[in-house]
Amino acid sequence: MKIKSKFSSVITLALLCGIAAQTPSIWASGGATDPIPGTSKSGVKSGGATGGKKTTPTPTPTPTPVPTPTPTPAPTPISAGPITFAAAGLVNGVLPVCTGDFVVDPYYPTLLDMTLNVHVGSLNVPDGTVLYINVVGVGGTLYPYTSNAITIVGGTGSCTEKVFVTLGAGLAGVVVTDASGGALFAGN
């Protein structure tokens, strides 16, 4: 029995040493870590008992709700209207038709954004023929930034062209040309 008693004492001692070796931060700090955020650790003593000065938890501030953004309304056009086109003449025995419109919107304080919509119909040319929109401006600079090509299929075709316009520029007209630069329609 004595050997059994000594053996159990050695095992108990070894277990205690093993626990102490695995958790040095508990023994070094003099107690367990603080389970409640915002309370003082100075009141915790070795063995988990509390004593000394007690503190109250710091109140958690209520978060301020994020305001819901309001949608930005579409810009109010500065100018808009139809473009009246006239055909330069018959094309393969048929008088073609061209219609269109434009809208000028604010973009930057010194730059405007113009959208041109052009539609060609009754054009007697082979499918796949490409026409080009050419915007003529006065008093400023125009910067086209989308395609100006109209591909004709079945005698019709459409294009929406976007153009940046500097302040002071005006729209003098729109010319629709073929690939060789020959004017088919002129509009204002």
Side-chain angles (χ1 to χ4, degrees), residues 60-83:
T60 305
T62 305
T64 306
V66 177
T68 304
T70 57
T72 305
T76 303
I78 293 172
S79 181
I83 301 172

Side-chain angles (χ1 to χ4, degrees), residues 11-120:
I11 290 179
T12 304
L13 181 61
L15 286 174
L16 288 174
C17 288
I19 292 172
Q22 291 176 2
T23 57
S25 63
I26 292 176
W27 302 108
S29 66
T33 58
D34 188 4
I36 303 172
T39 61
S40 172
K41 293 183 182 183
S42 65
V44 178
K45 300 292 182 195
S46 179
T50 61
K53 184 169 95 175
K54 291 187 179 183
T55 59
T56 57
T58 306
T60 305
T62 305
T64 306
V66 177
T68 304
T70 57
T72 305
T76 303
I78 293 172
S79 181
I83 301 172
T84 305
F85 286 95
L90 299 176
V91 176
N92 296 325
V94 177
L95 185 63
V97 177
C98 185
T99 59
D101 60 55
F102 74 97
V103 175
V104 178
D105 292 311
Y107 190 74
Y108 285 128
T110 59
L111 196 62
L112 303 173
D113 186 22
M114 180 169 55
T115 303
L116 295 162
N117 298 301
V118 178
H119 178 75
V120 175

